[in-house]
Amino acid sequence: MKHHEYKLISCIFILYIMLASCLKDKGNYTYHAVNDPVVVKGVDTLYVVDVIKQSFRIAPVITTPDGKPIDTSQYTYSWQLNQGIGIASDYPSLVPLSTSPTLDIPKDSMVRTITNAEMRHKLFGAYTAFFRVTDKATGLFKDTYFKIVLGSTSAKGWLLLCDPENGNTRLGMISSMYTDSLVPDILASVGSTFPITGQPRFITVDFQTRFKPSSGRCPFIGTSQHFAVLGSDTLEYKNPRYNLANYITGLPTPPDFSSATFASDGYHHYLQNNGTLYYIDEYDNLPFQACNYLNDVPFRASKFVAPYTVEPYFRGAIVFNEDTRTFLRTPLQAYCLELPQGTLFNFSTKQQLRYMQYVNTFNGGEVFAILDSTSKINLARFSEDGTQSYYREITAPDIHDARLFAVDNTFGFIFYCAGGKLYEYNMSSRQAQLIHDYGNNKITVLKIFNDNLDIFNNLFSNIVVCTYNEADKKSGTLDLYTTPKVDGMVSLVKSIPNTGKIVDVAYK
């Protein structure tokens, strides 16, 4: 009997607990707002900093909420740089800058701070940041947010590989970070330690991930004595990691790059040196490998290489065998393959190769090759798989004396220079027009940049022409022309004088 009474009492108790839990909360609580522990003034919303030439200082005024000075020993301080605006969240989120009430960063220290944090994206750009003041006793803190734009004269613009005609190299720059300005020696300006010994050979800006902590578009630079990659933002040089000669086997000591040329297409790069053609693929972990082999027999490779990328997996380059004067294809391997039998011309041309370029958007992507048969100058066009589409003689003024060539990416207009004259050739009408006569000035560079990089700066133009007067060592001019329209007409956009003798240019 007592057993049943205990069960009844237990059930009543449980029912009471359940009913009590369903009672409505009247919500008659009193809430009190917590004031910020301090008031911070003197922190602007935006700062623009030249990280190489400028120190950076913020000295905020910190008071209690009623305006009285604080006891600085009763608080902790933290200045934090957040990840770059628009950068994916898998990058480091916070970089500590200081734990003092005043942020005081000497010039160059911002570069070291971010580099030491191994932020893999580009150093220059816009960042969010905040200053946190924490009350030691209560743990309450106050955050003050602001933005920092980090930049330098080396951030973006035209890199000018110049020949001072003293046996060495000078890298100038038309910087457009703040205002368009000519920096005669950008390496000295930013404190880069890249050795300038040896005559200038090439400068290219392209993607790389293998040789430095910060991946992205970096300058590849070559002199007759050095072959290296520089930092994407500050042009820093760290030997041995950035010294690309260390990634090539079989080079003499010291290395000789006096005849070297360089070609790149995205993430694979080609170096031609003394007839040997080396390649390296960013997607594997192998060093530069020689690929000028056909059926295991080496051949002398031309200085002209036409890398191509047909997404997603068909990558390689068209090369030219100087021994047999034959076009070949290398499929990103340590060998070359023969192209199929041609329908318009023989790939074993028995002609001298004057110029070759892969034009990635014209007719779905084609190789333009200009050949010299002694009596005729011929234009050949074919795809990366060897499908031929065009073979005709170029009948144009001064074409036999032409030294430099470039091909427009949209309509296939061919630009060439002979002496001081710049011409444009239309292969459809087979007519040429004189664009400009530079007189006694020598044209040293003719390049067309087919990337749409003008979204970054209005200084960028597709056609670059560099001239130099040998009688005046201080002369030198870089001219920018517009992209050709459907009628082939171009116009001069801007002319930058006093550059010195330019032998190659690149845009970063």
Side-chain angles (χ1 to χ4, degrees), residues 62 72 121 174 183 196 200 225 237 253 283 325 335 350 360 374 376 392 432 445 476 481:
I62 308 172
T72 56
H121 55 282
I174 302 171
V183 184
I196 59 171
Q225 298 180 18
Y237 175 73
T253 303
Y283 295 102
R325 296 189 172 182
Y335 56 83
K350 297 182 172 57
N360 58 3
T374 305
K376 295 180 180 180
R392 298 287 297 272
V445 174
Y481 288 87

Side-chain angles (χ1 to χ4, degrees), residues 173-438:
M173 187 171 187
I174 302 171
S175 173
S176 56
M177 180 61 192
Y178 304 109
T179 59
D180 297 341
S181 60
L182 175 63
V183 184
D185 190 339
I186 190 64
L187 295 180
S189 177
V190 300
S192 175
T193 59
F194 174 73
I196 59 171
T197 53
Q199 295 181 333
R201 295 303 304 152
F202 56 80
I203 184 77
T204 301
V205 175
D206 213 331
F207 291 100
Q208 70 80 35
T209 59
R210 291 277 305 276
F211 312 111
K212 62 186 298 291
S214 300
S215 61
R217 294 180 67 93
C218 297
F220 292 82
I221 185 170
T223 74
S224 59
Q225 298 180 18
H226 303 281
F227 173 39
V229 62
L230 304 180
S232 59
D233 287 327
T234 59
L235 305 180
E236 78 275 5
Y237 175 73
K238 298 179 181 179
N239 193 18
R241 184 168 187 174
Y242 297 7
N243 183 356
L244 299 187
N246 295 326
Y247 299 83
I248 305 174
T249 58
L251 288 177
T253 303
D256 178 15
F257 296 111
S258 56
S259 65
T261 56
F262 185 78
S264 183
D265 181 26
Y267 289 94
H268 52 293
H269 318 294
Y270 296 87
L271 175 75
Q272 181 281 139
N273 189 42
N274 295 321
T276 300
L277 183 63
Y278 303 92
Y279 85 96
I280 193 168
D281 188 352
E282 292 283 351
Y283 295 102
D284 60 35
N285 199 33
L286 298 174
F288 278 90
Q289 300 181 78
C291 60
N292 55 311
Y293 288 86
L294 180 64
N295 299 324
D296 296 326
V297 178
F299 62 84
R300 184 167 53 96
S302 167
K303 66 179 181 179
F304 298 108
V305 183
Y308 58 81
T309 296
V310 182
E311 297 298 343
Y313 303 113
F314 192 48
R315 297 175 291 131
I318 300 297
V319 301
F320 191 75
N321 183 337
E322 289 284 5
D323 295 331
T324 61
R325 296 189 172 182
T326 302
F327 289 103
L328 301 170
R329 179 175 71 87
T330 175
L332 269 185
Q333 300 291 335
Y335 56 83
C336 288
L337 301 172
E338 293 180 336
L339 293 168
Q341 183 175 352
T343 57
L344 300 177
F345 63 93
N346 193 334
F347 279 119
S348 183
T349 65
K350 297 182 172 57
Q351 301 181 57
Q352 178 186 355
L353 181 63
R354 287 279 199 98
Y355 181 76
M356 180 168 62
Q357 175 186 340
Y358 182 73
V359 184
N360 58 3
T361 60
F362 181 84
N363 201 28
E366 286 191 339
V367 174
F368 280 60
I370 297 175
L371 299 162
D372 186 350
S373 67
T374 305
S375 60
K376 295 180 180 180
I377 303 297
N378 300 307
L379 170 62
R381 284 177 24 219
F382 55 95
S383 64
E384 61 282 341
D385 64 359
T387 303
Q388 298 178 353
S389 61
Y390 186 97
Y391 184 75
R392 298 287 297 272
E393 179 185 0
I394 299 177
T395 55
D398 297 324
I399 189 63
H400 286 274
D401 299 323
R403 297 177 300 102
L404 301 174
F405 298 87
V407 182
D408 165 53
N409 202 28
T410 304
F411 301 107
F413 295 117
I414 299 171
F415 293 81
Y416 66 93
C417 63
K421 296 180 179 180
L422 174 65
Y423 291 96
E424 178 185 14
Y425 178 73
N426 186 326
M427 62 182 166
S428 298
S429 65
R430 303 184 70 193
Q431 299 293 318
Q433 60 175 324
L434 178 65
I435 300 299
H436 190 78
D437 187 348
Y438 287 94

Side-chain angles (χ1 to χ4, degrees), residues 138-158:
T138 65
L140 298 175
F141 60 85
K142 166 68 175 178
D143 285 346
T144 303
Y145 291 88
F146 56 97
K147 289 183 174 63
I148 304 178
V149 177
L150 304 181
S152 174
T153 52
S154 61
K156 60 180 179 179
W158 292 100

Side-chain angles (χ1 to χ4, degrees), residues 60-185:
V61 177
I62 308 172
T63 64
T64 62
D66 56 2
K68 296 178 181 180
I70 65 169
D71 180 356
T72 56
S73 65
Q74 301 302 310
Y75 299 86
T76 62
Y77 311 91
S78 177
W79 297 85
Q80 298 277 352
L81 185 71
N82 206 343
Q83 61 185 4
I85 296 174
I87 301 298
S89 59
D90 60 338
Y91 288 93
S93 57
L94 294 176
V95 178
L97 299 178
S98 176
T99 57
S100 300
T102 298
L103 178 64
D104 200 346
I105 301 179
K107 63 180 181 180
D108 286 337
S109 292
M110 184 73 80
V111 176
R112 291 193 297 271
T113 298
I114 295 182
T115 301
N116 291 340
E118 296 184 350
M119 298 184 79
R120 293 177 291 160
H121 55 282
K122 293 186 66 178
L123 165 66
F124 293 165
Y127 295 82
T128 58
F130 66 88
F131 173 46
R132 174 170 293 182
V133 182
T134 304
D135 189 324
K136 293 181 179 179
T138 65
L140 298 175
F141 60 85
K142 166 68 175 178
D143 285 346
T144 303
Y145 291 88
F146 56 97
K147 289 183 174 63
I148 304 178
V149 177
L150 304 181
S152 174
T153 52
S154 61
K156 60 180 179 179
W158 292 100
L159 292 172
L160 315 176
L161 191 68
C162 299
D163 183 3
E165 299 185 326
N166 60 4
N168 292 325
T169 296
R170 175 171 58 83
L171 186 63
M173 187 171 187
I174 302 171
S175 173
S176 56
M177 180 61 192
Y178 304 109
T179 59
D180 297 341
S181 60
L182 175 63
V183 184
D185 190 339

Side-chain angles (χ1 to χ4, degrees), residues 49-68:
V49 184
D50 187 324
V51 297
I52 295 177
K53 294 186 175 182
Q54 290 180 335
S55 57
F56 182 40
R57 190 171 193 270
I58 304 177
V61 177
I62 308 172
T63 64
T64 62
D66 56 2
K68 296 178 181 180

